[in-house]
Amino acid sequence: MNSRINKQVEVKQLGLIDYKTAWDEQERLFATIVDRKLQNRVCPVEEQQLTPNYLLFCEHPPVYTLGTSGHAENLLIDEARLTTELGATFFKIRRGGDITYHGPGQLVGYPILDLDNFFTDIHRYMRLLEESIILTLADYGLKAGRIDGLTGVWLGYDADVNPEAGSPRKICAMGVKASRWVTMHGFALNVSTDLRYFNHIVPCGITDKAVTSLAAELGYEVPLSEVAARVQHHLSTLFEMKIIDN
C-alpha cells in the first residue's frame, strides 16, 4: 500500500458567499495542493508530505458563469441589464462546460482533491460526482440519471422508453478543471433555486431541454444543509473518503 496516499477530506461549509470570494478560496487551496506536489518531487521520500483534500459547500448570490468551451451568445441578456434588472454578476472562468447560473437555494459543491490520493481518471471522477447526486435524489424518491453526451444529472433522462418520467430536465450542472491531477470547480444542484433566472441563458448551451429543482419536483422545500449532508455521505462512500468536518 502506498503510504503517501491521503484519503482525508476537510469539509468547509462556506454558507452564502460571493462567487469571486469562493473562487479565490478555491484557487488558494488548489495552489496549496499543487505546490506541495511539486515540493514532494524534489524531496527524499522520507521528507515528502501528504497532499490535502478539500470539499467546499456553499451557495452564491445570483451569478452567471461561462466556461472556457462556452459561447457568449448563450447569455441572452445584456451584461448591464443583468446587473441592474436581475441583481446578478457574470464571470468567465477556467472550467469545462458552457454557461450556467448559481443563486440562492442552489447547493454548490467544490471538491478540491488530489486525485493521486484516489484514482487518476477524470472520466471516472465526473461519473462519481454525478452518481453522488443521483443517489442523493434517490433518497428523496426521485429517479435521476445521465443522458449520453451531456454532463450533469437529469430527471426524465429515459423519457424515450419511460414516458411517465416526463420530458428531460436538468437538476444538476457540472463543470470541473484539473491540473496535475488536482481538481477544482464542481457541481451545482438546484434545491430550491428560483428557476426564472435560467430564462436569461441557454443553460449549458442546451436549447431543447428544461431545468428543474428538488423543490419543483417534490412540491415542497428541503433544507440546503440536509441535502448537503446527503451529498457528502454519498461522496465519502463513493470515493472512500475519510471526512474531516470544519
Side-chain angles (χ1 to χ4, degrees):
M1 180 178 177
N2 187 347
S3 61
R4 310 314 302 167
I5 286 178
N6 176 31
K7 289 185 176 289
Q8 292 187 340
V9 178
E10 181 178 344
V11 177
K12 294 176 176 285
Q13 304 285 352
L14 303 182
L16 181 63
I17 184 172
D18 174 75
Y19 184 82
K20 182 61 166 60
T21 303
W23 187 2
D24 289 345
E25 177 66 359
Q26 281 194 80
E27 292 275 14
R28 184 185 72 81
L29 296 174
F30 178 88
T32 297
I33 300 173
V34 170
D35 288 348
R36 183 166 295 182
K37 294 188 78 168
L38 293 176
Q39 291 168 8
N40 284 344
R41 284 188 175 185
V42 297
C43 287
V45 173
E46 63 273 13
E47 296 179 14
Q48 293 178 7
Q49 296 183 323
L50 297 176
T51 52
N53 308 284
Y54 304 94
L55 175 58
L56 314 183
F57 283 117
C58 64
E59 58 181 324
H60 296 303
V63 58
Y64 296 96
T65 67
L66 181 68
T68 52
S69 59
H71 301 277
E73 61 268 25
N74 288 330
L75 177 65
L76 305 178
I77 183 173
D78 179 83
E79 284 189 47
R81 289 179 55 216
L82 180 149
T83 302
T84 58
E85 297 180 19
L86 302 181
T89 53
F90 175 74
F91 289 94
K92 294 181 180 179
I93 59 175
R94 296 185 300 277
R95 61 152 171 80
D98 206 288
I99 196 166
T100 194
Y101 166 75
H102 301 306
Q106 184 186 71
L107 177 65
V108 179
Y110 296 129
I112 306 174
L113 309 177
D114 179 4
L115 291 183
D116 275 319
N117 289 324
F118 302 94
F119 49 78
T120 50
D121 184 332
I122 293 297
H123 178 79
R124 182 182 176 193
Y125 174 68
M126 292 295 293
R127 299 297 79 79
L128 288 186
L129 287 186
E130 291 170 346
E131 189 65 20
S132 71
I133 303 299
I134 291 169
L135 291 172
T136 297
L137 294 171
D139 290 339
Y140 293 99
L142 297 178
K143 184 182 177 184
R146 305 172 181 85
I147 295 178
D148 287 346
L150 300 176
T151 301
V153 177
W154 301 78
L155 299 178
Y157 67 97
D158 57 349
D160 54 339
V161 295
N162 182 21
E164 293 182 359
S167 59
R169 52 213 185 274
K170 194 170 201 174
I171 194 168
C172 183
M174 295 189 177
V176 304
K177 169 191 171 182
S179 178
R180 300 183 186 274
W181 295 114
V182 181
T183 68
M184 62 181 292
H185 301 298
F187 60 84
L189 173 62
N190 296 327
V191 177
S192 57
T193 319
D194 184 346
L195 299 177
R196 291 174 296 181
Y197 279 89
F198 288 97
N199 295 335
H200 303 286
I201 60 174
V202 180
C204 302
I206 301 168
T207 59
D208 61 345
K209 293 178 176 60
V211 177
T212 191
S213 70
L214 190 59
E217 298 295 328
L218 296 178
Y220 59 88
E221 293 191 8
V222 179
L224 212 67
S225 58
E226 177 184 304
V227 180
R230 291 180 181 273
V231 173
Q232 177 180 309
H233 167 73
H234 292 303
L235 282 172
S236 66
T237 301
L238 292 166
F239 284 83
E240 299 180 344
M241 297 172 171
K242 181 179 179 181
I243 295 294
I244 303 173
D245 287 309
N246 185 345

